[in-house]
């Protein structure tokens, strides 16, 4: 749990503003490159193929593993921010109870906070189920024992795109060795990655910091009796939705890069 040196509940959201995610336990970090190598070694079709067939098989297996990896990362990130949001709502509930006891708030504030906490519980269950499904998918692709620990992907930003569309198509042409490139699909995937990267930047630089600051300010005002509960709840809801949208864009960007790798044969994620 996040604590502050002053011991006041209203400072917890301020600390929350400084962190995008909570630590994910003691498991060793799961690295996508190691997973790909293990999957290629396990896949008999890749081992038996030659020439362009081998290249296509390797690209397909690599794409499947990376897709599963980034979906697993998204599931962990979803579980983390829902749990974090639930903890913040619990703090809000305690403040509402204190304000109600001192006559500065209505009982309905306490009840509304408890309802919001309860509404997050099924979302935590769904996120944990999604994590288990993605782990099972990776185990299947690698031929791993499903009971062996897998670890979790590190909570880090995906790499930058790094190439213009023209540069990517040129590199792909050199790597294709005479095979015709699906240029329309490459363009669509490139634009999808570009759009997701732009949205990630907007949320990371503007929407998330602003919404977190607004939520903190409204909570302090509510604790002091100068703001009402619905204002605080609305600001918290804005933070929750911003985090959800940001993480969705991270997943969209990562999957678009994976698709570009499969289409072009150019490694974009190491």
């Amino acid at each position: 749990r996040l604590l502050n040196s002053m011991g006041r509940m209203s400072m917890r959201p301020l600390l929350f503003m400084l962190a995008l995610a909570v630590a994910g336990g003691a498991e060793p970090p799961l690295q996508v490159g190691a997973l790909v190598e293990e999957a290629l070694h396990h896949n008999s079709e890749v081992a038996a193929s030659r020439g362009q067939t081998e290249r296509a098989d390797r690209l397909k297996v690599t794409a499947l593993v990376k897709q599963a990896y980034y979906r697993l990362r998204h599931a962990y990130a979803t579980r983390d921010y829902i749990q974090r949001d639930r903890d913040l709502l619990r703090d809000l509930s305690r403040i509402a109870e204190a304000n109600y006891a001192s006559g500065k708030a209505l009982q309905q504030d306490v009840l509304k906070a408890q309802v919001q906490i309860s509404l997050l519980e099924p979302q935590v269950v769904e996120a944990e189920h999604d994590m288990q499904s993605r782990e099972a998918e990776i185990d299947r692709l690698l031929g791993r024992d499903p009971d062996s620990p897998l670890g979790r992907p590190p909570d880090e930003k995906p790499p930058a795109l790094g190439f213009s569309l023209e540069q990517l198509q040129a590199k792909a042409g050199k790597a294709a060795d005479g095979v015709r490139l699906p240029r329309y699909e490459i363009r669509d995937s490139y634009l999808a990655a570009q759009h997701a990267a732009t949205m990630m930047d907007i949320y990371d630089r503007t929407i998330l910091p602003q919404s977190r600051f607004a939520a903190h300010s409204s909570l302090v005002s509510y604790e002091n009796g100068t703001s009402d509960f619905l204002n605080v709840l609305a600001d918290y809801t804005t933070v929750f939705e911003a985090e959800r949208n940001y993480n969705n864009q991270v997943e969209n960007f990562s999957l678009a890069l994976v698709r570009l790798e499969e289409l072009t044969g150019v490694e974009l994620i190491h």
Side-chain angles (χ1 to χ4, degrees):
R1 295 176 60 84
L2 297 175
L3 299 174
N4 62 40
S5 60
M6 300 294 293
R8 299 184 63 215
M9 285 185 284
S10 62
M11 290 301 292
R12 180 170 180 145
L14 182 59
L15 291 176
F16 165 58
M17 292 164 59
L18 303 178
L20 281 174
V22 295
E27 300 127 326
L30 190 65
Q31 300 297 335
V32 66
L35 291 181
V36 169
E37 289 302 317
E38 189 174 345
L40 291 173
H41 178 75
H42 167 73
N43 193 284
S44 59
E45 292 181 1
V46 173
S49 58
R50 296 290 184 272
Q52 286 299 329
T53 302
E54 178 188 13
R55 180 177 184 270
D57 286 343
R58 289 180 65 88
L59 289 174
K60 183 64 176 178
V61 170
T62 298
L64 289 173
V65 172
K66 289 185 176 182
Q67 286 167 4
Y69 173 88
Y70 283 110
R71 286 175 178 142
L72 176 61
R73 183 211 168 278
H74 180 262
Y76 266 105
T78 299
R79 192 277 310 270
D80 286 351
Y81 77 70
I82 292 173
Q83 289 182 334
R84 183 169 61 247
D85 295 343
R86 182 182 57 187
D87 287 345
L88 292 173
L89 282 172
R90 285 171 176 165
D91 282 347
L92 176 58
S93 178
R94 285 191 286 270
I95 293 173
E97 290 171 1
N99 282 359
Y100 173 63
S102 62
K104 294 190 296 183
L106 301 174
Q107 187 180 25
Q108 68 181 20
D109 291 359
V110 178
L111 297 176
K112 287 177 181 177
Q114 292 172 348
V115 168
Q116 294 301 316
I117 293 169
S118 297
L119 288 173
L120 289 178
E121 294 299 333
Q123 296 185 43
V124 173
V125 174
E126 285 295 325
E128 291 178 343
H129 172 70
D130 193 26
M131 288 163 50
Q132 293 169 355
S133 297
R134 301 309 178 188
E135 288 173 344
E137 184 179 5
I138 292 175
D139 286 337
R140 178 182 59 80
L141 289 168
L142 274 60
R144 290 172 56 99
D145 180 356
D147 294 325
S148 63
L150 187 61
R152 67 170 288 172
D155 188 18
E156 59 189 12
K157 292 183 180 180
L161 186 52
F163 299 105
S164 68
L165 177 59
E166 293 74 19
Q167 290 173 328
L168 187 59
Q169 288 177 331
K171 289 178 71 69
K174 293 178 181 179
D177 194 22
V179 177
R180 184 177 179 181
L181 293 173
R183 291 188 175 273
Y184 290 109
E185 293 182 58
I186 292 173
R187 177 179 174 82
D188 285 346
S189 296
Y190 186 89
L191 292 176
Q194 197 173 50
H195 172 72
T198 300
M199 296 298 291
M200 283 164 50
D201 187 64
I202 292 172
Y203 276 102
D204 189 39
R205 291 178 178 270
T206 306
I207 297 176
L208 280 169
Q210 289 178 351
S211 63
R212 286 169 179 156
F213 184 78
H216 169 68
S217 297
S218 64
L219 181 62
V220 171
S221 297
Y222 176 69
E223 190 175 14
N224 294 331
T226 58
S227 180
D228 63 53
F229 180 83
L230 290 180
N231 284 338
V232 183
L233 194 59
D235 286 337
Y236 269 46
T237 300
T238 299
V239 174
F240 302 163
E241 288 302 312
E243 285 197 313
R244 186 188 307 275
N245 292 336
Y246 172 78
N247 280 292
N248 286 343
Q249 292 301 332
V250 170
E251 182 185 38
N252 292 342
F253 177 74
S254 301
L255 294 179
L257 289 190
V258 172
R259 181 59 176 155
L260 281 172
E261 285 190 343
E262 184 181 8
L263 291 170
T264 65
V266 178
E267 188 176 24
L268 301 171
I269 304 171
H270 303 284

